Amino acid sequence: MSGRIHLSPPDVGQLEESYLIRALRSGWVAPTGPEVDAFEQELAARTGTTHAVAVNSGTAGLHLALLAIGAGPGDVVIVPTLTFVATANAVRYTGAEPVFVDCEPETGNLDVTLLADLLDRLGAAGERVVAVLPVDLFGTCADYTALAPLCAAAGVPLIEDAAEALGATHQGRPAGSFGQVGVLSFNGNKIITTSGGGMLVSDDADLLARCRYLSTQARQPVIHYEHTEVGYNYRLSNLLAALGRAQLRRLDGMIARRRLLRDRYAKLFAAFPGVRLLGDGDPGTNCWLTAIVVDPEQTGWPAAELAEHLARSDIETRPVWKPMHRQPAFAGARAALTGTADRLFARGLVLPSGSALTEPQVERVFGAVEGFVHQR
Ligand SMILES: *Cc1c(COP(=O)(O)O)cnc(C)c1O
């Protein structure tokens, strides 16, 4: 035993240290500067988009994207129920109403059939649906092959919550690039981190100019601090952008490391009927978090029992996100449900997936998991 093993600890080292010190010594210790500019360009390139705006969290990015699309009181934004609360919170910040949609069992991503039906019904009722906001759950892209034409046909903009999906692809195309605008997160547990941060990416220069303007207190381009509307203080620090640039250089290596873990989990559980990997078989996943889904009728044990076993070895696991329609903060929100998200919440378990896990830690995790499944 040598300390607690976490799901996805930050993976930082020498390169990050040198980038950070270089930025500090450059004198640009502000939410503006050459590191921010370069980080934006590099992120746009990496996501196959032409423009990017760095912000101080993914949540701030979602808020700005929704504002720029025009979301406000009286509007509806369609959000998957199986997500981290930030997706739904950002909708509420604008005064718009999140309407939740259930997910597909294989990936936990937005159920496209249900969405089609909901768009029809809301459209027929004359409701103003201003955006569909799919999430790339745990780093596996939503089904944009079906989603993009569906949203286009309904005339509803698509905003991609790619907070968990930097480096992932769908049909060879990078996560972040599928909507009118995409949002990434660099929170401490994400695939790359700036300790806290986010990025808006898009091919729409005007839309991102609007986001940039709102992120800097909606300041008019004059010297005397003129403001014609209320803005926000959402810019990313130049120091943290430097950290992000170092992380981005290591992204492919970190994905490869997470993929090794995921492949090893897949191999281990392939021998156990009743256990599958969420999003299994998608070659484009960035492997941010590997979650298993346990059918206790087949295995004879529920996911919670494996979680308890691992906790006794000081190994962290988590349930998959508690669905938004179950959250007291969103009690009374409308939702189109099939029961899938509830089932994944009951049966899912997120396993240690971080690229910073050392070899001995990895052996400890697999030793403990194998010990449990063989003994059961
Ligand atoms: C992490 C996350 C966010 C928010 O990002 P922060 O940088 O933590 O604000 C939004 N949506 C999803 C799906 C996330 O996982």
Side-chain angles (χ1 to χ4, degrees):
M1 300 288 281
S2 53
R4 185 161 169 77
I5 295 177
H6 292 278
L7 279 191
S8 181
D11 183 352
V12 292
Q14 285 269 286
L15 190 69
E16 287 76 9
E17 189 178 320
S18 66
Y19 271 56
L20 196 50
I21 288 173
R22 191 184 66 190
L24 189 63
R25 290 186 181 151
S26 76
W28 288 96
V29 186
T32 177
E35 300 289 347
V36 174
D37 298 343
F39 191 35
E40 286 176 345
Q41 281 167 21
E42 289 165 6
L43 237 298
R46 179 69 206 217
T47 55
T49 56
T50 53
H51 294 79
V53 173
V55 286
N56 55 20
S57 74
T59 310
L62 288 169
H63 186 194
L64 294 180
L66 287 158
L67 289 172
I69 288 284
D75 297 334
V76 164
V77 177
I78 299 178
V79 176
T81 192
L82 194 63
T83 184
F84 178 53
V85 72
T87 320
N89 279 346
V91 175
R92 276 282 173 82
Y93 299 163
T94 68
E97 177 198 350
V99 173
F100 299 117
V101 179
D102 219 312
C103 59
E104 301 186 334
E106 293 76 22
T107 58
N109 281 326
L110 194 67
D111 183 324
V112 178
T113 312
L114 213 51
L115 173 68
D117 177 57
L118 183 66
L119 282 170
D120 279 349
R121 282 193 287 126
L122 293 173
E127 300 214 38
R128 281 206 318 232
V129 182
V130 289
V132 174
L133 181 42
V135 173
D136 303 326
L137 194 74
F138 300 141
T140 296
C141 283
D143 182 7
Y144 294 106
T145 304
L147 279 171
L150 187 62
C151 293
V156 177
L158 200 157
I159 301 174
E160 181 183 359
D161 182 346
E164 304 176 357
L166 177 64
T169 56
H170 171 75
Q171 308 286 341
R173 201 171 135 185
S177 70
F178 290 96
Q180 202 133 332
V181 51
V183 179
L184 298 148
S185 165
F186 315 122
N187 192 31
N189 61 346
K190 293 295 184 345
I191 195 146
I192 73 167
T193 184
T194 59
S195 80
M199 190 78 75
L200 290 139
V201 292
S202 176
D203 289 337
D204 185 334
D206 294 339
L207 194 78
L208 281 204
R210 173 87 185 146
C211 292
R212 190 183 296 281
Y213 158 78
L214 288 172
S215 76
T216 50
Q217 305 283 23
R219 191 178 157 191
Q220 293 296 322
V222 291
I223 200 157
H224 60 266
Y225 293 95
E226 177 84 4
H227 306 272
T228 56
E229 33 180 348
V230 173
Y232 303 87
N233 180 10
Y234 279 171
R235 288 294 276 159
L236 183 69
S237 145
N238 193 63
L239 297 183
L240 299 184
L243 191 55
R245 292 184 70 200
Q247 289 266 284
L248 190 57
R249 276 189 55 184
R250 296 180 46 228
L251 174 62
D252 288 323
M254 295 196 283
I255 292 173
R257 177 102 186 120
R258 285 179 192 259
R259 193 173 304 284
L260 278 178
L261 288 173
R262 186 177 179 86
D263 289 348
R264 194 162 159 189
Y265 283 126
K267 209 166 147 208
L268 193 169
F269 287 113
F272 292 89
V275 186
R276 65 179 175 94
L277 260 57
L278 190 62
D280 198 17
D282 181 344
T285 178
N286 71 355
C287 306
W288 175 53
L289 292 180
T290 295
I292 54 168
V293 183
V294 178
D295 176 357
E297 271 159 27
Q298 282 192 65
T299 56
W301 49 268
E305 223 169 282
L306 173 58
E308 282 159 26
H309 176 82
L310 294 177
R312 281 194 290 276
S313 304
D314 221 3
I315 297 168
E316 182 185 26
T317 61
R318 293 270 179 97
V320 304
W321 306 122
K322 180 175 178 179
M324 291 303 111
H325 71 271
R326 295 278 172 204
Q327 300 287 357
F330 292 96
R334 290 186 283 171
L337 302 172
T338 57
T340 303
D342 282 339
R343 204 155 38 246
L344 290 177
F345 177 56
R347 297 181 167 192
L349 191 68
V350 182
L351 300 170
S353 310
S355 51
L357 295 184
T358 62
E359 253 348 285
Q361 287 180 319
V362 170
E363 292 315 315
R364 235 178 84 198
V365 170
F366 280 89
V369 174
E370 277 163 11
F372 176 84
V373 290
H374 286 298
Q375 149 212 330
R376 292 305 307 247

